[in-house]
Amino acid sequence: MDRMGSLRLAHLLLLICFITGCLRTVSLSAQQPHPVTSVQDTETPAQRDARMEWWRAARFGMFIHWGLYAVPGGVWEGKPSNGAGEWLMHDDKIPVADYQKLVSQFNPTQFNAHDWVALAKAAGMKYIVITSKHHDGFAMFDSQFGFKPNPFNIVSATPFKRDPLKELMVEAQKQGIKLGFYYSQDQDWTAPGGAAFGGHWDKAQDGDFANYLHTKAIPQLTELLTKYQPAIIWFDTPTADMTPQLASEIVTLTNKYPNLIWNNRLGGGYKGDTETPEQQIPPKGFPGQDWETCMTINDTWGFKTNDTSFKSTETLLHNLIDIASKGGNYLLNVGPDAHGIIPPDEADRLRAIGKWLDTNGEAIYGSGPTAFGDEDGAYSTTEKDKNGKPVWVSQWDWRSTTKPGKIYIEIFKWPNGAFHLDKVPGQIADAYLLADPAHKPLKITQKGSVADINLPQQPLDPLATVLVLETSH
Ligand code: FHN
């Protein structure tokens, strides 16, 4: 073999080694087992269905972002911030010691657990998820762990001295609603070693991440799980610091609570139970998966004095219906202020949604996704996003949810004349409006899968009127 021939052979051998090496790496990482198997890794589909049953039926939950950041309310040294209220410490690079001084001003004497839970119930929400510790590291419960010598929590460090999470736990049990806790397991801007997006800005933040996890996050999660029996732990913002090994230590803990539901934001390669799109509704949801859109009512999670860009009740209700029609849950946020008051602009909208649900909840709770699928919109054939992908263009005329033998059509835009459907699965035996107490039958004209339903001139509810189609096959 000449020199060129042997070079070519060497290249070929290298290429084969590279390809087989790559394949081995790919197949190893594809099968990479978790250091600790989670409940989700081992349970049967039937066990998972049983564990997720209440959550799937719930469809609507209250997110509460409440913490020390409510005191500045998005304003530091007279300067309003552009970011979210709970990110103020990070965005303004506030030194740890200065931020911690806020504790003396946090005295939310108007907090009333009964009223908060009652509001969630009046809104038709079936669960509450409240921040037990956000990225600022301040614990909203009675904790033995954290910043020493002055534990950085609402009971030990503030004039308030009460434990709102305990009070909420008692009320949630009394009023029959599920309670879950948001816990920022990874970012912690006041505990040495806690992560911070973009890096630390104060020497007091430096330290070892594993040590932070062992001395604060895991002990606090243990406190929450043992003393408050939450139905949900809502993790957030995992960083590369959360290795599979470290995440598995948290999983060892969550595994002790086999009914616990937790989301996909732990990190370390764990998928958890739920997909968590934020501030947006994915065009088609996540078919076959459990998912929950979390969203703010205005533009902030934590209270901001200057944020008044509240979404309308109509938008919020249509979002809830849109999400239900795609098989997901809506976790809608409120940001109570430093007195413990949920802003009236938020509470009013929630009550209005609850009023609609009082009449029409049958179409939402425990419902399945649409039987149709083209009514929600289409990808544009002309417009592209910044990644060159077609832009999704939503349609807001109507949505549909389902239950065995029933199709619900939530009509947003009242048609002139009959309501027309092209692809009806099965024969419509009866049609009526859910808000009509008499369920007076509406005239149906059906040929094969094409149907027209005669409607009254005016909607029964301008926000959304639900048409019920009872079907047989
Ligand atoms: O950084 C947080 C934010 O403050 C808020 O808590 C949301 C809620 O999903 N999660 C993070 C951003 O994804």
Side-chain angles (χ1 to χ4, degrees), residues 63 65 86-87 134-135 182 234 236-237 265 278 294 301:
F63 215 176
H65 275 67
E86 73 285 0
W87 274 77
H134 204 266
H135 310 328
Y182 169 108
W234 216 96
D236 206 3
T237 61
R265 299 192 186 187
E278 182 166 319
C294 55
W301 302 94

Side-chain angles (χ1 to χ4, degrees), residues 321-384:
I321 298 170
D322 185 30
I323 290 166
S325 81
K326 294 168 181 170
N329 281 12
Y330 195 25
L331 186 61
L332 186 57
N333 185 71
V334 294
D337 68 15
H339 305 290
I341 298 290
I342 294 177
D345 283 303
E346 297 178 0
D348 291 348
R349 284 159 175 78
L350 295 190
R351 281 190 210 97
I353 297 173
K355 200 162 159 265
W356 185 89
L357 283 165
D358 275 347
T359 307
N360 299 291
E362 181 194 316
I364 303 296
Y365 305 122
S367 65
T370 179
F372 306 96
D374 296 334
E375 67 277 17
D376 49 4
Y379 285 101
S380 166
T381 49
T382 50
E383 247 189 289
K384 302 252 159 72

Side-chain angles (χ1 to χ4, degrees), residues 191-252:
F197 276 9
H200 294 150
W201 58 90
D202 180 338
K203 276 205 165 30
Q205 297 168 318
D206 293 345
D208 177 52
F209 180 76
N211 186 52
Y212 147 72
L213 217 61
H214 293 142
T215 58
K216 183 168 181 185
I218 295 178
Q220 286 196 331
L221 281 164
T222 308
E223 289 178 316
L224 289 170
L225 285 162
T226 52
K227 295 192 194 156
Y228 302 77
Q229 296 116 41
I232 297 169
I233 293 286
W234 216 96
F235 296 113
D236 206 3
T237 61
T239 70
D241 287 341
M242 189 64 81
T243 60
Q245 195 59 47
L246 289 172
S248 74
E249 295 184 36
I250 295 181
V251 169
T252 302

